[in-house]
Amino acid sequence: GGPDGDVAGNELKILCREYGDNAKVVGIADGTGCAEDPNGLDWEELLRLVDNNLPIEHFDPSKLGEAGVVHKVDTEEGVKARNSMHNRVQADAFVPAGGRPYTINVQNYKHFLNTDGTPSAPLIVEGANLFVTDEARQLLFDDAGVVIVKDSSANKAGVITSSYEICAAMLLSEEEFYEHKPQIVKEVLDKLHDYARMEAELLFREFENYGGSLPQLSKVVSGAVNAATDALTVAIEKFSEEDKEKLLPLFREHLPKTMADMAFDRVHERVPSQYVTK
């Protein structure tokens, strides 16, 4: 995924904001080519591409280190370099943020391994759905101990964000939202940090306690969440209207504080009861 993509572009901004120079991006590939630098691609240049919605082919070569290179797909060599970058570049973590589904599969997963059997990256965090097949995930774990945070866990913050966007659209006017946007966004980010930390701590705690692969644990977590949701839905359908009213404090606590303070009295008027109870 390139700097002009929603997932990769926001991932770059988050990495820079949260970690600064402590994080190095050593390779990026998208439909236009790839840029690589073992000492880290220039942050200022990467953010310029993000801000201007430009793909990686527009990375300024003068911003590369001595070992850096930009490959464009206008040559056969460039196409090969782009297609193999995720296998060749050595990194602490690989974050697929785009690309074709099933790019890493049971036929080619060994290309992700070095000649000594170690992986090019010991950790994969799936920002893009379906980049790695189920079978390849398990084989990478079995053969090389690759720790993979499955898309269903890695992308939960995005799903939660969408829920808050819907809440904002139902409860606030456009003018109200923009007037208070900086504070609302800060509060949403704080909640996302907490939810993401809880998910990560749960996954790695279960991983340490019971073993197995993280993708399998993600499936177990998703299954447990879905089962609990179904059970609660059935139970709540039997609630009286008075009982359902008692759930409103939980819904208020779920909302960003600024949004709740501004518009919680509009919930009955604007938010479907099914949305509140779910």
Side-chain angles (χ1 to χ4, degrees):
D4 59 336
D6 285 342
V7 177
N10 282 298
E11 177 69 19
L12 289 170
K13 290 194 288 186
I14 290 169
L15 283 172
C16 186
R17 182 185 69 218
E18 300 291 335
Y19 300 103
D21 290 336
N22 288 325
K24 294 192 300 184
V25 178
V26 294
I28 293 180
D30 63 18
T32 68
C34 64
E36 306 170 26
D37 193 328
N39 293 316
L41 294 166
D42 183 83
W43 269 120
E44 184 176 346
E45 177 64 3
L46 287 175
L47 295 179
R48 180 187 74 84
L49 299 182
V50 174
D51 292 340
N52 289 279
N53 199 35
L54 294 172
I56 200 63
E57 69 173 343
H58 291 281
F59 191 96
D60 184 353
S62 70
K63 302 292 186 180
L64 293 167
E66 291 184 2
V69 63
V70 175
H71 294 283
K72 299 182 181 182
V73 293
D74 54 2
T75 67
E76 184 177 351
E77 177 189 6
V79 172
K80 289 180 179 179
R82 188 276 311 274
N83 290 350
S84 62
M85 193 211 73
H86 63 283
N87 294 324
R88 292 183 292 100
V89 171
Q90 304 299 301
D92 295 317
F94 169 44
V95 183
R100 294 177 179 173
Y102 314 131
T103 295
I104 298 179
N105 53 61
V106 69
Q107 281 79 34
N108 65 17
Y109 79 95
K110 288 189 176 180
H111 296 168
F112 195 73
L113 308 182
N114 300 312
T115 55
D116 62 359
T118 59
S120 59
L123 170 66
I124 298 177
V125 181
E126 294 183 340
N129 295 341
L130 306 177
F131 190 85
V132 187
T133 66
D134 279 343
E135 297 84 359
R137 289 189 189 108
Q138 192 62 46
L139 288 167
L140 285 170
F141 176 75
D142 292 340
D143 291 4
V146 179
V147 175
I148 302 176
V149 180
K150 192 177 180 297
D151 45 27
S152 59
S153 288
N155 291 339
K156 274 185 180 173
V159 176
I160 295 168
T161 301
S162 296
S163 174
Y164 284 132
E165 289 173 347
I166 294 170
C167 286
M170 289 190 289
L171 291 173
L172 304 177
S173 68
E174 189 171 337
E175 293 75 17
E176 287 174 326
F177 174 75
Y178 278 111
E179 181 181 355
H180 298 275
K181 179 181 176 181
Q183 184 61 26
I184 293 173
V185 169
K186 179 183 181 303
E187 291 167 4
V188 169
L189 287 173
D190 289 342
K191 284 181 173 290
L192 294 179
H193 283 151
D194 289 340
Y195 293 141
R197 185 178 300 108
M198 289 169 59
E199 178 85 8
E201 289 175 350
L202 171 63
L203 284 177
F204 283 93
R205 182 174 67 246
E206 296 300 296
F207 179 61
E208 291 176 1
N209 289 340
Y210 300 105
S213 65
L214 281 181
Q216 290 300 320
L217 291 174
S218 288
K219 290 183 178 180
V220 171
V221 171
S222 295
V225 170
N226 291 335
T229 300
D230 293 343
L232 287 169
T233 299
V234 171
I236 291 172
E237 286 176 350
K238 300 176 183 177
F239 280 16
S240 66
E241 290 303 315
E242 182 180 352
D243 287 334
K244 290 181 180 179
E245 287 289 313
K246 295 177 182 178
L247 297 174
L248 286 176
L250 294 176
F251 183 67
R252 181 185 177 104
E253 185 178 344
H254 168 70
L255 293 173
K257 183 178 185 301
T258 298
M259 194 187 303
D261 290 345
M262 291 173 61
F264 192 71
D265 59 352
R266 305 171 187 173
V267 168
H268 282 299
E269 175 187 349
R270 301 188 181 183
V271 181
S273 59
Q274 298 95 327
Y275 193 89
V276 174
T277 55
K278 288 187 177 182

